[in-house]
């Protein structure tokens, strides 16, 4: 746990030009959540109570997306560089603040351990600034960490500003964009940063050589966790970050006793919980606040969103389940579609090409084939025949279908709502039911079959 006097400043005002997007970069999603949310969670988990988010490009959108987080916002307008962003934020840093931790909203996967290690090093050396670095095979577009002959950090130079300096571009130790600052040093030095002659921006990284000029200690912590620390500046880097998060989440579930047959192909969002001995086949997406019980089987190519599955549920291939509840022992699919507010109680069986919406299917209901149940309440033990359709919409309003316990709905039936089928009633196959069927009766509405003599048209067929 970090000392609670720390103020964290998250830089999130930039547009993210390289994303080629009309959305602010920090709102681009990694497994269903804005990338910056991962960083905020980590800081909150660390017990950091004062979090300042610097917003600018589409500030309102970013503030709206983060409105449930206990953070303060500072607006940087216009955006003149990372150093300028911290200048603007400094006004909101309390006078009694301990160290200031600066992090980038576009490098959101930094771990608690990495932040702790950075702060620990900073305190141990009483440094003016401590930066976090990683060593890459190629420094790419990142800021290069320049060290003197004694190995002490003297500056961080941007690659854009170093195109004519191959010796700088050859450096493989790069700045990740995470820093700890001594607050009095930061307050004083921020005003001394010149504009870059190349881009005109005010770079936060200039504080490193400013500290050295003042004879203050500058430390750099080389962190080994490359994939957590690299920034997200392009769609390719966003995809790489998604893979990193996916692998971590999947590893956690496997550790806790869930079988993922081919984890590379499972996209399980961070808030999902899964019980032990559940088996998940390839190409499965589990999203939002989904809760899955023990001993379930989720077959291939399934998408489950914001739903609850109790124990022993079997979701067969190709199903889509949204905002629904599946009781113990339910089995659905292949190719079933549970739309919002489907409530399938214990032991319900929903088969292939069945769509359910805003309906309760009580214990043991069977709807095996090619059916639509919308705005319906289906009593326990009812058998819904193939091709049953609840006609719930009259073009203006939705209406309810009520099927009481133990009913039997023959195949290819249209139930024109509002309508009630009484307990234990039967509906003859092929009926269009527009009136209630009382309990225990047989409702049937179709033309009576007649069998006629065949009439041969034209000449009699030759023998
Ligand atoms: C920055 C660092 C670079 C480092 C890299 C790590 C500087 C000058 N460069 O480069 O050394 O290797 O991060 O990923 O600091 N931002 C603002 N206001 C601004 C400009 C940027 O809030 O005026 C925010 C952005 O939203 C982003 C972060 O600061 O979250 C970093 O900005 P970005 O433009 O991505 O800098 P890089 O070129 O990646
Ligand atoms: Mg960046």
């Amino acid at each position: 746990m970090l000392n609670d006097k720390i103020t964290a400043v998250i830089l999130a005002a930039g547009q993210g030009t390289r994303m080629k997007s009309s959305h602010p970069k920090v709102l681009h999603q990694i497994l269903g959540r804005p990338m910056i949310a991962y960083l905020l969670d980590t800081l909150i988990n660390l017990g950091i109570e004062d979090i300042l988010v610097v917003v600018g490009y589409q500030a309102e959108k970013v503030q709206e997306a983060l409105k449930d987080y206990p953070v303060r916002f500072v607006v940087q307008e216009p955006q003149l560089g990372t150093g300028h962003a911290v200048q603007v934020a400094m006004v909101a840093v309390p006078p009694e603040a301990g160290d200031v931790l600066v992090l980038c909203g576009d490098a959101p996967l930094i771990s608690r351990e990495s932040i702790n290690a950075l702060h620990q090093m900073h305190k141990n050396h009483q440094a003016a600034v401590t930066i976090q670095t990683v060593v890459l095979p190629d420094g790419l577009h990142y800021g290069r960490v320049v060290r003197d002959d004694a190995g002490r950090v003297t500056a961080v130079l941007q690659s854009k500003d170093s195109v004519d300096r191959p010796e700088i571009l050859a450096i493989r130790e790069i700045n990740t964009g995470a820093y700890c600052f001594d607050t009095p040093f930061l307050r004083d030095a921020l005003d001394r940063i010149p504009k870059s002659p190349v881009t005109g921006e005010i770079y936060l990284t200039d504080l490193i050589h400013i500290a050295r000029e003042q004879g203050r200690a500058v430390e750099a912590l080389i962190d080994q966790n490359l994939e957590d620390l690299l920034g997200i500046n392009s769609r390719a880097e966003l995809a790489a970050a998604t893979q990193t998060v996916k692998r971590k989440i999947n590893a956690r579930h496997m550790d806790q006793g869930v079988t993922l047959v081919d984890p590379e192909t499972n996209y399980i969002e961070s808030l999902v919980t899964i019980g032990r001995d559940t088996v998940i086949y390839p190409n499965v997406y589990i999203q939002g606040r989904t809760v899955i019980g023990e001993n379930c089987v989720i077959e291939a190519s399934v998408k489950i969103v914001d739903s609850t599955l109790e124990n022993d549920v079997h979701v067969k291939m190709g199903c889509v389940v949204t905002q629904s509840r599946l009781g113990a022992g339910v089995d659905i699919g292949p190719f079933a579609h549970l739309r919002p507010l489907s409530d399938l109680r214990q032991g319900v069986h929903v088969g292939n090409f069945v769509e359910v919406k805003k309906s309760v299917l009580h214990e043991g209901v069977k709807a095996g084939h090619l059916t639509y149940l919308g705005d319906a309440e289906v009593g326990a033990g009812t058998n819904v025949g193939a091709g049953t359709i609840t006609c719930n919409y009259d073009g203006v309003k939705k209406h309810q279908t009520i099927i009481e316990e133990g009913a039997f709905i023959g195949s290819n039936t249209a139930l024109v709502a509002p309508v009630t089928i009484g307990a234990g009633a039967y509906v003859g196959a092929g009926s269009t039911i527009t009136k209630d069927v009382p309990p225990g009766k047989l409702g049937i509405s179709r033309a009576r079959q007649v069998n006629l003599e065949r009439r041969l048209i034209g000449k009699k067929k030759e023998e």
Side-chain angles (χ1 to χ4, degrees):
M1 194 78 112
L2 288 175
N3 117 33
D4 58 6
K5 284 271 194 64
I6 277 192
T7 293
V9 175
I10 299 180
L11 308 185
Q15 176 179 1
T17 324
R18 285 166 279 175
M19 293 298 279
K20 306 215 170 67
S21 171
S22 44
H23 310 295
K25 175 160 67 173
V26 293
L27 295 189
H28 280 268
Q29 296 203 342
I30 298 176
L31 286 186
R33 304 177 70 206
M35 63 168 88
I36 192 172
Y38 290 88
L39 180 57
L40 295 178
D41 282 353
T42 302
L43 294 175
I44 291 164
N45 274 331
L46 274 168
I48 296 177
E49 286 173 3
D50 192 27
I51 302 173
L52 283 171
V53 182
V54 184
V55 292
Y57 177 74
Q58 296 191 12
E60 278 160 25
K61 244 188 180 171
V62 179
Q63 280 172 270
E64 174 61 25
L66 303 180
K67 66 178 187 308
D68 294 333
Y69 283 91
V71 299
R72 298 189 286 144
F73 294 97
V74 183
V75 180
Q76 181 200 14
E77 190 58 65
Q79 296 94 44
L80 303 177
T82 49
H84 178 245
V86 179
Q87 281 173 1
V88 173
M90 218 50 209
V91 179
V93 173
E96 72 281 5
D99 296 324
V100 173
L101 182 66
V102 175
L103 301 163
C104 291
D106 70 345
L109 304 185
I110 185 170
S111 69
R112 289 198 289 183
E113 293 73 24
S114 287
I115 294 174
N116 265 328
L118 184 70
H119 187 237
Q120 203 54 51
M121 182 177 218
H122 184 72
K123 279 201 310 197
N124 292 348
H125 291 84
Q126 298 187 336
V129 46
T130 305
I131 64 170
Q132 185 194 51
T133 71
V134 292
V135 178
L136 296 180
D138 173 346
L140 302 169
H141 52 76
Y142 294 103
R144 304 299 199 271
V145 178
V146 184
R147 292 179 183 260
D148 63 16
D149 293 341
R152 288 173 308 185
V153 175
T154 54
V156 168
L157 297 179
Q158 302 317 305
S159 54
K160 270 189 213 156
D161 295 16
S162 311
V163 279
D164 300 333
R165 300 179 65 186
E167 75 285 7
I168 299 296
L169 293 179
I171 296 173
R172 292 161 50 231
E173 183 181 5
I174 62 102
N175 166 34
T176 67
Y179 320 76
C180 259
F181 288 101
D182 171 57
T183 305
F185 163 76
L186 186 61
R187 271 195 211 286
D188 170 72
L190 273 172
D191 295 332
R192 300 174 193 270
I193 306 178
K195 278 188 185 167
S196 154
V198 178
T199 62
E201 287 182 24
I202 298 172
Y203 295 153
L204 185 63
T205 45
D206 279 0
L207 292 178
I208 286 134
H209 76 256
I210 292 175
R212 285 302 303 272
E213 275 168 15
Q214 294 182 359
R216 298 288 309 268
V218 174
E219 294 298 329
L221 179 65
I222 304 177
D223 198 297
Q224 306 299 329
N225 301 299
L226 292 192
E227 19 173 65
D228 295 351
L229 300 176
L230 297 182
I232 300 171
N233 299 292
S234 62
R235 306 280 178 162
E237 288 172 351
L238 179 66
T242 298
Q243 296 306 311
T244 302
V245 173
K246 176 191 77 177
R247 288 189 187 125
K248 278 199 183 149
I249 293 174
N250 290 351
R252 168 163 60 83
H253 289 297
M254 290 190 281
D255 273 352
Q256 291 169 355
V258 177
T259 294
L260 304 181
V261 173
D262 181 6
E264 281 298 290
T265 68
N266 294 146
Y267 290 81
I268 303 172
E269 292 183 0
S270 57
L271 302 177
V272 170
T273 65
I274 307 174
R276 55 165 65 190
D277 290 321
T278 284
V279 179
I280 298 179
Y281 283 86
N283 282 332
V284 168
Y285 299 76
I286 309 178
Q287 304 179 333
R289 293 180 179 273
T290 293
V291 175
I292 297 181
E294 296 184 1
N295 243 347
C296 295
V297 176
I298 315 292
E299 291 188 12
S301 302
V302 164
K303 177 173 169 179
I304 303 175
V305 187
D306 287 324
S307 294
T308 299
L309 280 59
E310 290 177 14
N311 297 342
D312 304 304
V313 169
H314 188 167
V315 179
K316 294 182 190 157
M317 194 164 171
C319 292
V320 177
V321 177
T322 308
Q323 282 175 43
S324 292
R325 172 173 279 275
L326 284 70
V330 163
D331 79 284
I332 67 166
F335 310 110
H337 187 186
L338 303 187
R339 291 169 49 210
L341 306 182
S342 297
D343 180 358
L344 278 49
R345 306 279 166 88
Q346 192 171 340
V348 163
H349 163 69
V350 159
N352 46 196
F353 307 110
V354 172
E355 174 180 341
V356 183
K357 186 218 80 175
K358 202 177 181 188
S359 293
V360 183
L361 278 55
H362 287 272
E363 270 183 39
V365 166
K366 289 188 169 47
H369 334 262
L370 301 153
T371 283
Y372 173 56
L373 297 170
D375 302 293
E377 169 119 22
V378 186
T382 290
N383 194 307
V384 179
T388 298
I389 306 291
T390 52
C391 308
N392 59 332
Y393 187 48
D394 61 10
V396 183
K397 272 189 169 165
K398 301 277 167 69
H399 300 280
Q400 271 252 309
T401 300
I402 295 173
I403 304 173
E404 293 174 356
E405 220 173 294
F408 182 97
I409 313 296
S411 294
N412 201 28
T413 290
L415 299 164
V416 182
V419 72
T420 298
I421 311 298
Y426 264 57
V427 173
S431 293
T432 297
I433 298 295
T434 55
K435 289 189 293 204
D436 293 353
V437 181
K441 300 283 185 193
L442 168 65
I444 189 158
S445 88
R446 63 183 185 221
R448 200 175 269 278
Q449 181 174 338
V450 286
N451 293 327
L452 303 174
E453 289 303 325
R454 293 174 69 205
R455 265 196 299 163
L456 291 173
I457 297 164
K459 268 205 277 176
K460 200 176 171 197
K461 212 171 158 190
E462 282 175 16
E463 295 291 304

